[in-house]
Amino acid sequence: MSVKHYPFFHDVDENNELYNTFNSKPVFILKIILLLALCCFQNKTYAKEIIMASDIWCPYICQDPQKPGYIVEMLNDILQEKQFIVRNETIPLARAIMLLKNDKVDIVLGLTQQHIDHHQLISSTMPVGIFANDFFVKSNNAWQFTSVAELAEYASKNHSIGIIKGYFYGQSIEELIAEKPNLFSYAHGDFPLNQNINRLMSGHIDIILDSKNAVLSEVKRLNITPLNYAGTQGKSSQLYVALSKIIDVQLLQVIDQGITDYRNSGKLDKLLTNYGISDWQ
């Protein structure tokens, strides 16, 4: 039986004129230039769908399609400019982190360094905001935060503190949660801050521990009686975006450089003004 030979696999005669023409120096250099240009082009444009996930935590991540949150808007702008297709998913934060660790989503928004370290996540180098432990009570409550010890004493007198499952609140608060978990009441689901505000207004909890920006934004959206701002623990924590461990390293570079460019171009200031807040740097 004869064996068929296909031209692509034939040995090439080095004396062949076509071979010599194709491998002459000018043509060889042209091939290299075209190859490099193709690589550069591929590095700058993408077509992959990116799934971004988080719970609702306005003004960072909001439920309004026209104003979906400044982190959401900024990341969408950065990624879509590089031809990514972005899909935004509203998922409880604890579940979003679990899905990220299992590579079922690509990005989780608005995580503290504690989240990153605890779950051993890959994160952006550039922060996307800040978070502080701020306290709110009903308008007829004059209590003010002065220290974690005083908070524990006040809460022990049947004054429950509303927090959110999956969030981290810094070392001193986390130690108090571990030592006296009965002082705290967790909100769950896609809209946990909304849940805590409703529980505060109905008397199921007495204190909300959350970000001032987030609480004020949600109170305004709900158009309810303003809450009393009861003070802050003080120190702010930076917020980052976390990425799946199997994500292309170029995506991380795109996000970090994109955040820098977004600020330098003035787009960030304009975006934050639309949400009634100022740059965290």
Side-chain angles (χ1 to χ4, degrees):
M1 182 177 68
S2 62
V3 178
K4 291 184 178 179
H5 294 280
Y6 295 90
F8 184 79
F9 296 103
H10 280 176
D11 291 331
V12 179
D13 181 2
E14 294 186 8
N15 294 319
N16 182 284
E17 183 178 350
L18 179 61
Y19 175 89
N20 290 328
T21 301
F22 189 70
N23 286 278
S24 63
K25 280 188 177 180
V27 175
F28 178 77
I29 292 171
L30 178 60
K31 288 192 292 181
I32 295 297
I33 292 172
L34 290 173
L35 181 61
L36 290 173
L38 178 61
C39 290
C40 292
F41 178 78
Q42 288 175 334
N43 284 342
K44 290 185 178 180
T45 59
Y46 307 84
K48 183 183 185 303
E49 181 182 63
I50 297 296
I51 303 174
M52 297 199 308
S54 184
D55 59 359
I56 297 299
W57 195 39
C58 206
Y60 310 99
I61 303 103
C62 308
Q63 64 192 91
D64 183 351
Q66 302 304 315
K67 291 180 67 175
Y70 81 80
I71 296 180
V72 176
E73 286 199 49
M74 178 172 64
L75 265 292
N76 272 268
D77 285 349
I78 290 169
L79 295 174
Q80 288 173 1
E81 184 179 343
K82 296 297 183 181
Q83 308 304 313
F84 282 103
I85 301 166
V86 183
R87 178 151 58 97
N88 302 298
E89 296 285 352
T90 301
I91 302 173
L93 186 64
R95 182 164 175 260
I97 292 173
M98 180 190 70
L99 292 174
L100 182 73
K101 293 172 73 173
N102 291 327
D103 306 316
K104 302 298 184 183
V105 300
D106 300 299
I107 296 174
V108 173
L109 305 175
L111 299 184
T112 65
Q113 191 62 51
Q114 276 188 295
H115 284 110
I116 305 300
D117 294 341
H118 179 78
H119 295 285
Q120 298 181 320
L121 303 174
I122 299 169
S123 73
S124 60
T125 301
M126 298 299 297
V128 293
I130 57 172
F131 165 82
N133 283 338
D134 299 313
F135 299 87
F136 285 83
V137 294
K138 291 176 72 172
S139 58
N140 60 355
N141 187 342
W143 175 81
Q144 289 284 305
F145 174 84
T146 57
S147 68
V148 173
E150 188 277 333
L151 171 67
E153 181 182 354
Y154 180 75
S156 66
K157 298 174 182 177
N158 201 30
H159 297 117
S160 181
I161 306 166
I163 56 176
I164 297 173
K165 183 176 176 60
Y167 282 34
F168 279 103
Y169 295 93
Q171 182 177 347
S172 57
I173 296 293
E174 291 296 328
E175 288 175 354
L176 180 60
I177 293 171
E179 182 184 346
K180 299 181 178 180
N182 59 305
L183 301 182
F184 297 86
S185 177
Y186 287 92
H188 306 259
D190 296 345
F191 308 93
L193 178 54
N194 177 289
Q195 187 182 134
N196 270 342
I197 290 175
N198 288 332
R199 294 197 302 154
L200 178 68
M201 299 304 291
S202 64
H204 287 88
I205 60 174
D206 301 279
I207 303 169
I208 290 176
L209 169 52
D210 209 298
S211 162
K212 184 178 181 179
N213 284 337
V215 174
L216 293 179
S217 174
E218 188 65 8
V219 167
K220 181 179 179 181
R221 188 189 72 82
L222 293 172
N223 193 28
I224 61 174
T225 303
L227 305 179
N228 272 356
Y229 174 58
T232 182
Q233 195 178 0
K235 187 177 180 180
S236 297
S237 298
Q238 292 183 320
L239 298 172
Y240 301 89
V241 298
L243 291 83
S244 166
K245 61 181 178 293
I246 64 169
I247 208 72
D248 192 326
V249 68
Q250 289 180 338
L251 178 60
L252 184 58
Q253 296 168 352
V254 164
I255 291 173
D256 279 331
Q257 187 59 51
I259 294 169
T260 299
D261 294 343
Y262 215 78
R263 173 175 281 109
N264 292 341
S265 68
K267 289 182 180 179
L268 181 59
D269 277 339
K270 184 177 179 181
L271 178 62
L272 294 176
T273 298
N274 194 34
Y275 285 88
I277 54 179
S278 55
D279 194 343
W280 54 91
Q281 287 193 354

